[in-house]
């Protein structure tokens, strides 16, 4: 039976935040991690491999994009979570 729920994440059992609930949540998380890795690679690692100096402006731009992407992903996860985000100690609520 297909999961037609609107929620992609569920509140974590321990701690604060959410974790993937279904394949959509895992796919979104995987795409986010891949995008962060690619930005970091092309922003810092790839120039260093080719012996190029990484510019200050390029570093600032890379970190600005990473911070904006992370904030957007956290907001997206919060919107797609089945329940409130709060600190949890593992007890069923």
């Amino acid at each position: 039976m297909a999961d037609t729920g609107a929620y992609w994440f569920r509140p974590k059992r321990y701690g604060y935040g959410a974790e993937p609930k279904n394949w959509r949540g895992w796919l979104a998380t995987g795409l986010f991690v891949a995008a962060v890795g690619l930005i970091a690679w092309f922003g810092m690692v790839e120039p260093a491999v080719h012996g190029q100096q990484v510019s200050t402006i390029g570093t600032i731009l890379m970190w600005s994009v990473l911070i904006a992407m992370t904030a957007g992903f956290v907001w997206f996860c919060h919107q797609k979570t089945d329940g409130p985000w709060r600190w949890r100690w593992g007890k069923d609520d």
Side-chain angles (χ1 to χ4, degrees):
M1 181 173 201
D3 180 20
T4 59
Y7 296 112
W8 296 7
F9 300 90
R10 65 177 164 250
K12 291 173 65 174
R13 187 175 178 126
Y14 293 95
Y16 185 82
E19 60 189 10
K21 178 179 180 178
N22 56 32
W23 69 269
R24 292 176 192 94
W26 283 108
L27 179 63
T29 303
L31 290 173
F32 172 73
V33 169
V36 167
L38 284 172
I39 290 170
W41 175 265
F42 286 111
M44 299 295 280
V45 177
E46 196 266 337
V49 167
H50 291 7
Q52 299 172 350
Q53 183 71 21
V54 179
S55 69
T56 303
I57 297 297
T59 302
I60 291 171
L61 179 62
M62 181 196 70
W63 280 106
S64 299
V65 169
L66 289 175
I67 290 168
M69 279 181 48
T70 301
F73 185 67
V74 169
W75 175 83
F76 176 78
C77 291
H78 191 269
Q79 297 300 311
K80 291 288 193 177
T81 299
D82 184 17
W85 282 22
R86 61 184 174 81
W87 191 264
R88 297 174 193 273
W89 294 100
K91 300 174 188 165
D92 290 333
D93 298 326

